[in-house]
Amino acid sequence: MASSHSSSPVPQGSSSDVFFKKEVDPTKHIRPVQSLPDVCPKEPTVTDQHRWTIYHSKVNLPAALNDPRLAKRESDFFTKTWGLDFVDTEVIPSFYLPQISKEHFTVYQQEISQREKIHERCKNICPPKDTFDRTLLHTHDKSRTDLEQVPKIFMKPDFALDDSLTFNSVLPWSHFNTAGGKGNRDAASSKLLQEKLSHYLDIVEVNIAHQISLRSEAFFHAMTSQHELQDYLKKTSQAVKMLRDKIAQIDKVMCEGSLHILRLALTRNNCVKVYNKLKLMATVHQTQPTVQVLLSTSEFVGALDLIATTQEVLQQELQGIHSFRHLGSQLCELEKLIDKMMIAEFSTYSHSDLNRPLEDDCQILEEERLVSLVFGLLKQRKLNFLEIYSEEMIITAKNIIKQCVINKVSQIEEIDTDVVMKLADQMRMLNFPQWFDLLKEIFSKFTIFLQRVKATLNIIHSVVLSVLDKNRRTRELEEISQQKNATKDSSLDTEVAYLIHEGMFISDAFSENELTPIAIDTTSQRNASPNSEPCSSDSVSEPECTTDSSSSKEQTSSSATPGGVDIMVNEDMKLTDLELEKLANNIQELLYSASDICHDRAVKFLMSRAKDGFLEKLNSTEFITLSRLMETFILDTEQICGRKSMSLLGALQSQANKFVNRFHEERKTKLSLLLDNERWKQADVPAEFQDLVDSISDGKIALPEKKSGATEERKPAEVLIVEGQQYAVVGTVLLLIRIILEYCQCVDNIPSVTTDMLTRLSDLLKYFNSRSCQLVLGAGALQVVGLKTITTKNLALSSRCLQLIVHYIPVIRAHFEARLQPKQYSMLRHFDHITKDYHDHIAEISAKLVAIMDSLFDKLLSKYEVKAPVPSACFRNICKQMAKMHEAIFDLLPEEQTQMLFLRINASYKLHLKKQLSHLNVINDGGPQNGLVTADVAFYTGNLQALKGLKDLDLNMSEIWEQKR
C-alpha cells in the first residue's frame, strides 16, 4: 500500500549489536534459511469465519482490502473480527505500571552511545553495495509505476463503499443495465470491470508481498534472538531454584525456632485480648438493667453517660459481635426515651417550682434535681427546655392575677357572685381603695415571682457557665498535651524491624505486653464516677472490670454551683462554646422576658378595669397614688431583672396622658366658668390664699396642707400681699393661682407628664389672657355678666391681675426647667411668649385709660372760652374727672404706675389745651386772655398735685403755649 514508500531498508547482519547488549558467537545456533510461508493460505469456510482458528494468525489480503465493513482501508486485520470499535477504543493506563520518562533511558544511552559512534563510523567506512542500491531503486520505481495504474480513489484515506458517490464511481450502474436488448454488451462490460478490479487487486498484493520479502531477514533475526533469550531464562530459573533451597535451609536452621516463640507470644496476647473482650461483653450485658435502676432514681446524667460509654465500646471494641447486633439500636431507643423523660420531668419541675405558694422566701426547689436535669438536657442538646420554662411562666403569671382577684372578690360582701358570673365584671365592681389594694397585692406577688424565677435561672446559668469553663480548660490541656507529645516523639529514636511474621513487626510483638497494662490502667478511670455501672460477678480482679477502650476521653471534673451543690462536668458535652454562650444569653433574655410577662399581665389587668372609664375618672390624689405604685413596681422589676420593661410604663404614660387631658379640660372649664361669671370687682383675699402665696415666696411650689383651727379665726384681707407688694385682685385670679400650683404639683407627682403639663399650662395662661381681654377691653362682660359699663376701676383691676400672673411666670418657668431634660429646654420659650402677651395686654389697658381721658379732654376743651369767671367751668369739670380717675385707680395700682399713668394723661391734656388755645389765638403775651388762661391752668395744676401720690409730679405746663414766631 501507500505506506510502503516510507519503509526502511532491510538491516544488515553486521548491525545485530544494536539490538543486543551481549555479542553472540555467529557459529552457534546456526539455522537453515527458510522460505517465506504462503501469504494467502486456504480461507476458512463461511460457517466458522467468526470463530478463532489458526488462519486468523495470518493476514488475509483480499479480505483486508475488500471487507465492506471497514471505514478506513489502513486499518489492520483485527477490525474484521472485532469491529470498528477496536481501533477507536482508548486503553486506560494501568495504575500498576510506572510512568516512563526520559530519565529511565539515561543509563542505557550512556552505555550505548560509544557503540553507536563506532557503528556510525563503520557505516561511513563500509557503505552498502551499489548493486543493492540499484536493485532497490529499480524495484522501488517499478512498484511506483505499477501502483500508478490503480485509480486514486482506491488510495483515499476516506474510501468507503457505503458512500453512494464512491460506490457509483467504482461500480457505474451503466454496466448493469440489461434493458433495451443490450444484455450482451452490458455483460461484456461487467466482465471487463471485474477483470480490471482483479488486476488492481493483484498489483496491490504483489507490492505488499514485495514489501514483506524486503523485511524477511529482520523477522528471522528476531526468531534467532528469541531462542537465545529462552536459554538465558532457563539458566536464571535454575539459579533461582538453588537460591531458594539455600534460603529454606537457613530458615529451618536459624529462624524457625525464633519465629515459633513469636507465634506463641502472639497467641498469648490474643488469648488475653479474648479474655478481656469476654469480660467487657459481660459488663456491657449489664447495661440495660443498670440504666433502668438509674432511671428509677432520676439519675438521667448517669444513665446517659452509661449509654454513651456502652455505645462507644460497641462501636470500637465490640464491633461485629453477633450477640450484640441489636443492642446499639436498643440503646438509641432508650436514649430517646430518656430525652422525653427529661423534658417531661423538667416541665413537671417548672410547674411545681412556679406554682408553689408565693411566700417571702426564694429558696430553690430541689436544687440537685434541677442541676441534674439541666446537665442531662445539655448533654442531649435539648436546648428547648427554656421555651418550656417560658410557657410555664406565662401560665403562672395568669394564675397569679386570677387567684388574687378571686381572693379579693370573696372578701367583699357587696359583690354577689351568683348574679355577676364573670370574674372581670366582679373585679370592676370594686371601688378605688379596694381595687388599689388588689393591684398592690398583685404587684407584690409578681415581685416574689420574679425573684423566684431569677434564682432558678441563676442556677441554670451557673451550670451552663461551668460547662463552658470546663470546655475551655479541657481544650487548653489538650493543646499542652499535644505540645508535650510532639516534643517527646521528636526525642525518641525509632527502630525499624525488618523481619515480618503474619503481617506484624517483631518489635510490636514484644511491646504489646508492655503497652497493654498501661492502656488498662489509663482507661480504668472512665467508670470511676458514681454514675458508672457495677462490675460483673465473674470478673477476676478489680482493675480489670473496666472497658479497655484507649480512645475514650471521658473524664470528669467537679465544680460547685452558687447553691453549694457539687456537679460533674463531662467532657462529652456536644455543645460548642458558641452554642453555650448563646444559651447563656438566652437565659438572661428569659429573665427579661419574665419581667415583660409580668408587665404585660399587669397592663391587661389595668385595661380590663379601664374599660368603663374608671381610671379616667380618678381624681388627682388617686391617680398620683396609682402612678407612684406603678413606678415603684417598675423600679423593683428593673432592679431584679436588670432591664426596664416598657409595656407597663407605656400603659402608665398612656393613662397619664388621658389624666392630663382630663385634668386640663376640667380646670380650663372651671376657669372659663369663673371668667364668664366674674364681675371684675375687687375680692377679699382668704387667709388660705395668702398662705398659698407665702409658701411660693419661700420657694415651695405646692399646695399647703389645710390647717383646721388657725385658718377659721383669721379674717379675709382686702389685698393680696406678695413679697411686700399689694395686689388688688378678683376672685378668678386667686383660683387661677391655685390651679397653676396644682399643675406644678402634678408635675412633681408624675414626672413623666412634665412636657404635657407645660404645654397645657401654657394653653391655660393664654386662655386667661385672651378671655380676660375679650371680657374687659372688648367689653364682653357687658353681655356675659350684664355689666352696665366697663369702668376705669375694672380696667385697673384687670391690669393688676395680669401683673400678678406675670410676677409668677418666672417662678413657674424655673420649676419646670428643673424637671425637664436639657434637650427639652426649647419648650420653655412658651413662657417667654406668654410674658410678652401679658405685657402687651397691660400696655393696652393703660392705653385704654389714657384714651378715656383723652376723649374727655377733647370734648371739654373744644368748648373752652377764655373769659371770666376764673376758674372756668371747663377746668372745674376737668379737675373733677381727674379726681374721679385718681380715686378709681389709686387703691388698685401702685403709686409708680399711677404717676406714670397721670403723666401720660397730663400730656394728652396739654396737647388738647394747646390746640384749643391756638384755635382761639391766645398767646403768651401777658394780656388779659393770657392771664385768664394762666389762672385756669394754675387751678388745674393745684388740684392735680393735691391728689394723693401726685404731689411731686412734674407737669411742665409751659408747653401749652406756642413758641413766638
Side-chain angles (χ1 to χ4, degrees):
M1 297 179 67
S3 61
S4 63
H5 299 289
S6 60
S7 61
S8 60
V10 178
Q12 301 299 322
S14 61
S15 61
S16 61
D17 55 351
V18 177
F19 299 95
F20 299 96
K21 180 178 179 181
K22 183 177 179 180
E23 297 182 358
V24 183
D25 189 358
T27 59
K28 297 181 180 180
H29 306 292
I30 299 176
R31 297 178 183 274
V33 178
Q34 300 179 0
S35 61
L36 288 173
D38 188 5
V39 179
C40 299
K42 182 181 179 181
E43 291 292 332
T45 62
V46 177
T47 57
D48 58 356
Q49 182 177 0
H50 297 287
R51 183 170 56 85
W52 176 260
T53 62
I54 59 174
Y55 300 108
H56 286 80
S57 63
K58 296 183 179 180
V59 180
N60 191 339
L61 295 178
L65 292 174
N66 299 327
D67 188 358
R69 294 177 297 175
L70 293 179
K72 297 180 179 179
R73 287 302 167 189
E74 64 272 12
S75 301
D76 55 27
F77 71 94
F78 290 105
T79 57
K80 177 180 179 182
T81 302
W82 295 342
L84 301 177
D85 294 337
F86 174 78
V87 179
D88 298 332
T89 302
E90 296 182 0
V91 180
I92 300 176
S94 175
F95 297 102
Y96 303 100
L97 297 179
Q99 297 292 334
I100 303 302
S101 61
K102 293 182 179 180
E103 285 73 9
H104 292 81
F105 299 95
T106 305
V107 179
Y108 172 75
Q109 290 177 352
Q110 293 176 356
E111 293 178 355
I112 207 67
S113 60
Q114 186 66 26
R115 296 184 181 183
E116 184 180 6
K117 293 179 181 179
I118 296 173
H119 174 69
E120 293 294 335
R121 189 165 55 252
C122 292
K123 284 176 63 178
N124 297 329
I125 296 173
C126 302
K129 296 181 180 180
D130 296 339
T131 56
F132 174 78
D133 293 339
R134 286 194 298 271
T135 304
L136 182 61
L137 293 173
H138 176 73
T139 305
H140 181 70
D141 294 339
K142 184 179 180 181
S143 299
R144 178 179 294 180
T145 303
D146 294 338
L147 288 175
E148 287 178 353
Q149 298 178 9
V150 181
K152 299 298 182 182
I153 190 172
F154 294 103
M155 301 301 178
K156 291 183 178 180
D158 55 350
F159 177 81
L161 289 176
D162 54 358
D163 186 7
S164 60
L165 297 177
T166 304
F167 186 84
N168 292 332
S169 300
V170 175
L171 300 173
W173 287 103
S174 59
H175 293 266
F176 304 99
N177 188 4
T178 57
K182 299 179 181 180
N184 295 329
R185 189 178 61 184
D186 292 339
S189 178
S190 298
K191 185 176 181 180
L192 178 62
L193 177 62
Q194 184 177 2
E195 292 177 357
K196 185 187 296 184
L197 293 177
S198 299
H199 177 65
Y200 294 159
L201 179 61
D202 293 339
I203 292 174
V204 172
E205 288 181 349
V206 169
N207 278 275
I208 292 175
H210 177 67
Q211 293 294 332
I212 294 174
S213 64
L214 293 177
R215 292 166 174 77
S216 60
E217 292 185 9
F219 295 155
F220 292 126
H221 193 284
M223 294 297 295
T224 303
S225 302
Q226 182 71 18
H227 288 291
E228 293 179 0
L229 183 61
Q230 290 178 355
D231 293 340
Y232 289 147
L233 290 176
K234 183 176 181 181
K235 292 181 181 180
T236 304
S237 177
Q238 293 176 355
V240 170
K241 183 178 180 181
M242 293 176 60
L243 180 61
R244 286 182 175 178
D245 293 339
K246 292 181 182 180
I247 291 175
Q249 292 178 2
I250 294 174
D251 178 59
K252 183 177 181 180
V253 175
M254 301 181 63
C255 301
E256 186 174 356
S258 301
L259 292 176
H260 182 66
I261 295 174
L262 293 178
R263 292 192 193 98
L264 294 178
L266 293 173
T267 303
R268 182 181 181 280
N269 290 335
N270 292 334
C271 292
V272 172
K273 290 182 179 179
V274 171
Y275 174 69
N276 291 332
K277 291 290 183 183
L278 291 176
K279 289 195 303 178
L280 186 59
M281 292 173 64
T283 304
V284 170
H285 184 66
Q286 298 296 323
T287 298
Q288 288 179 312
T290 308
V291 169
Q292 297 295 336
V293 173
L294 292 173
L295 292 180
S296 63
T297 58
S298 299
E299 289 289 339
F300 299 106
V301 178
L304 291 172
D305 289 341
L306 182 56
I307 291 174
T309 303
T310 305
Q311 287 178 336
E312 184 180 359
V313 171
L314 287 175
Q315 294 175 359
Q316 295 181 357
E317 296 156 22
L318 298 181
Q319 189 175 9
I321 303 298
H322 187 72
S323 59
F324 288 153
R325 64 186 182 279
H326 300 304
L327 183 58
S329 60
Q330 292 173 0
L331 292 177
C332 291
E333 294 297 328
L334 189 58
E335 188 174 3
K336 294 179 181 178
L337 177 62
I338 293 175
D339 293 345
K340 297 179 180 179
M341 291 178 62
M342 285 192 300
I343 293 175
E345 185 73 12
F346 184 80
S347 179
T348 304
Y349 174 84
S350 301
H351 181 77
S352 302
D353 179 48
L354 296 177
N355 289 277
R356 55 196 171 106
L358 292 171
E359 300 174 354
D360 293 335
D361 61 330
C362 296
Q363 297 296 327
I364 303 299
L365 179 65
E366 300 180 16
E367 185 174 348
E368 296 180 358
R369 177 186 173 192
L370 174 62
V371 172
S372 176
L373 282 173
V374 174
F375 265 105
L377 293 170
L378 292 179
K379 183 179 179 65
Q380 295 303 107
R381 300 178 63 87
K382 300 297 180 182
L383 306 182
N384 59 342
F385 67 93
L386 294 179
E387 299 176 2
I388 299 174
Y389 197 80
S390 177
E391 294 174 357
E392 194 63 38
M393 286 192 307
I394 296 174
I395 297 173
T396 304
K398 293 180 181 179
N399 294 335
I400 287 175
I401 294 181
K402 184 176 180 180
Q403 190 62 38
C404 289
V405 173
I406 292 174
N407 294 338
K408 189 65 179 179
V409 170
S410 63
Q411 298 174 2
I412 307 301
E413 298 178 356
E414 291 80 4
I415 300 176
D416 189 357
T417 56
D418 296 333
V419 178
V420 184
M421 303 299 294
K422 293 184 178 180
L423 191 61
D425 295 337
Q426 296 174 5
M427 183 266 294
R428 293 190 187 97
M429 297 179 66
L430 299 176
N431 55 28
F432 178 76
Q434 295 170 346
W435 181 81
F436 183 78
D437 293 339
L438 173 60
L439 182 62
K440 188 175 182 181
E441 182 182 1
I442 291 174
F443 284 166
S444 176
K445 297 293 185 182
F446 275 157
T447 302
I448 299 174
F449 168 74
L450 289 177
Q451 291 174 349
R452 184 169 296 172
V453 169
K454 181 180 181 181
T456 302
L457 293 181
N458 282 341
I459 295 298
I460 299 176
H461 191 261
S462 64
V463 172
V464 174
L465 291 182
S466 63
V467 174
L468 179 60
D469 181 65
K470 179 59 181 176
N471 285 352
R472 292 173 178 173
R473 286 189 294 168
T474 303
R475 188 164 54 250
E476 293 175 357
L477 292 176
E478 288 179 354
E479 293 176 356
I480 296 174
S481 177
Q482 290 176 359
Q483 293 176 359
K484 291 183 178 180
N485 291 336
T487 305
K488 183 177 180 180
D489 292 341
S490 62
S491 62
L492 293 177
D493 296 332
T494 56
E495 296 180 357
V496 180
Y498 295 99
L499 296 179
I500 300 177
H501 175 68
E502 295 181 358
M504 184 175 182
F505 285 102
I506 294 178
S507 59
D508 294 340
F510 290 102
S511 62
E512 183 84 5
N513 294 329
E514 298 176 359
L515 296 177
T516 301
I518 299 175
I520 294 176
D521 293 340
T522 303
T523 57
S524 63
Q525 299 177 1
R526 174 168 43 203
N527 293 331
S529 64
N531 298 327
S532 61
E533 62 180 272
C535 299
S536 59
S537 58
D538 58 348
S539 60
V540 177
S541 61
E542 190 74 24
E544 292 178 347
C545 187
T546 59
T547 61
D548 58 348
S549 174
S550 60
S551 62
S552 177
K553 297 181 180 179
E554 211 175 315
Q555 298 177 355
T556 59
S557 175
S558 63
S559 60
T561 60
V565 179
D566 291 336
I567 56 179
M568 304 301 292
V569 181
N570 293 333
E571 281 189 5
D572 60 350
M573 292 290 182
K574 302 175 183 178
L575 297 173
T576 62
D577 290 354
L578 182 61
E579 291 175 328
L580 290 172
E581 292 173 357
K582 183 178 180 181
L583 182 60
N585 294 333
N586 291 340
I587 293 172
Q588 187 63 38
E589 290 295 331
L590 185 60
L591 181 59
Y592 299 154
S593 177
S595 176
D596 294 339
I597 289 171
C598 293
H599 282 247
D600 292 341
R601 301 315 304 178
V603 168
K604 290 184 178 180
F605 178 75
L606 289 173
M607 293 300 103
S608 63
R609 188 65 182 91
K611 284 185 178 181
D612 54 354
F614 172 77
L615 298 179
E616 297 178 4
K617 297 176 183 178
L618 298 178
N619 57 38
S620 300
T621 304
E622 292 173 343
F623 186 82
I624 290 170
T625 306
L626 175 61
S627 176
R628 287 178 177 176
L629 176 63
M630 295 172 66
E631 289 176 353
T632 302
F633 176 69
I634 292 172
L635 292 176
D636 291 341
T637 55
E638 181 181 2
Q639 185 177 4
I640 294 173
C641 301
R643 189 180 71 177
K644 180 183 291 186
S645 297
M646 303 306 296
S647 57
L648 185 59
L649 187 62
L652 176 60
Q653 186 65 37
S654 176
Q655 292 299 324
N657 292 335
K658 294 179 181 180
F659 169 76
V660 168
N661 291 333
R662 182 180 57 82
F663 180 89
H664 176 66
E665 291 299 329
E666 288 179 354
R667 279 143 184 81
K668 188 175 181 180
T669 303
K670 182 179 180 181
L671 179 61
S672 178
L673 293 174
L674 289 173
L675 288 172
D676 291 342
N677 292 284
E678 181 61 56
R679 301 189 65 85
W680 297 100
K681 292 183 179 180
Q682 184 176 357
D684 294 335
V685 179
E688 59 177 342
F689 285 98
Q690 185 61 54
D691 294 339
L692 188 65
V693 171
D694 294 340
S695 64
I696 298 175
S697 300
D698 296 336
K700 181 180 179 183
I701 303 180
L703 295 175
E705 298 180 357
K706 294 184 178 180
K707 299 178 182 179
S708 58
T711 305
E712 293 179 356
E713 296 177 358
R714 297 168 57 187
K715 296 180 180 180
E718 294 182 356
V719 293
L720 185 67
I721 301 175
V722 179
E723 297 181 0
Q725 292 188 12
Q726 296 181 355
Y727 286 88
V729 295
V730 296
T732 302
V733 173
L734 294 176
L735 294 176
L736 177 59
I737 292 176
R738 184 179 183 87
I739 291 173
I740 292 173
L741 293 183
E742 289 177 355
Y743 276 83
C744 295
Q745 188 173 10
C746 186
V747 169
D748 290 337
N749 295 328
I750 311 176
S752 60
V753 299
T754 302
T755 55
D756 291 338
M757 278 296 183
L758 189 150
T759 306
R760 301 300 192 281
L761 180 57
S762 301
D763 180 66
L764 186 72
L765 293 175
K766 290 178 181 179
Y767 176 76
F768 174 76
N769 183 42
S770 61
R771 187 59 178 162
S772 61
C773 181
Q774 293 173 2
L775 293 173
V776 180
L777 279 178
L782 300 180
Q783 291 81 18
V784 176
V785 186
L787 296 178
K788 294 181 179 181
T789 182
I790 302 298
T791 64
T792 55
K793 192 169 186 178
N794 297 139
L795 293 172
L797 191 59
S798 174
S799 176
R800 196 58 175 161
C801 291
L802 294 173
Q803 293 174 18
L804 178 62
I805 300 301
V806 171
H807 175 78
Y808 282 114
I809 286 179
V811 180
I812 300 170
R813 176 193 174 103
H815 180 81
F816 277 91
E817 184 176 4
R819 287 152 184 80
L820 288 176
Q821 299 294 331
K823 61 182 179 181
Q824 299 172 338
Y825 285 166
S826 59
M827 299 184 66
L828 297 174
R829 68 181 185 277
H830 293 296
F831 292 111
D832 299 334
H833 298 161
I834 292 171
T835 303
K836 182 178 181 302
D837 293 341
Y838 272 68
H839 281 301
D840 293 343
H841 190 184
I842 294 171
E844 290 177 4
I845 293 175
S846 299
K848 183 65 176 178
L849 291 173
V850 175
I852 292 173
M853 297 305 297
D854 184 76
S855 62
L856 180 64
F857 293 150
D858 183 56
K859 179 181 179 181
L860 294 177
L861 291 176
S862 63
K863 300 178 181 180
Y864 174 64
E865 296 180 356
V866 183
K867 63 180 181 178
V870 178
S872 63
C874 177
F875 272 78
R876 283 198 298 266
N877 288 333
I878 291 175
C879 291
K880 183 179 179 180
Q881 294 298 328
M882 293 288 281
K884 288 182 179 181
M885 169 68 76
H886 181 270
E887 181 181 1
I889 67 173
F890 183 76
D891 293 335
L892 301 178
L893 298 178
E895 185 176 346
E896 296 82 3
Q897 293 185 19
T898 303
Q899 292 177 359
M900 292 299 298
L901 180 62
F902 274 90
L903 283 176
R904 293 177 62 185
I905 293 173
N906 183 61
S908 176
Y909 161 77
K910 290 188 292 184
L911 182 63
H912 285 282
L913 179 59
K914 183 179 180 180
K915 180 180 179 183
Q916 184 63 21
L917 292 177
S918 176
H919 177 69
L920 297 175
N921 294 320
V922 178
I923 60 175
N924 188 13
D925 56 356
Q929 289 183 338
N930 180 258
L932 292 175
V933 172
T934 302
D936 288 336
V937 170
F939 174 77
Y940 163 80
T941 304
N943 280 276
L944 187 59
Q945 291 181 344
L947 296 177
K948 189 176 181 180
L950 302 180
K951 182 178 180 181
D952 299 331
L953 196 64
D954 185 12
L955 301 178
N956 192 13
M957 299 303 296
S958 60
E959 296 178 356
I960 63 176
W961 304 106
E962 290 186 358
Q963 298 293 332
K964 293 182 180 180
R965 297 178 182 177

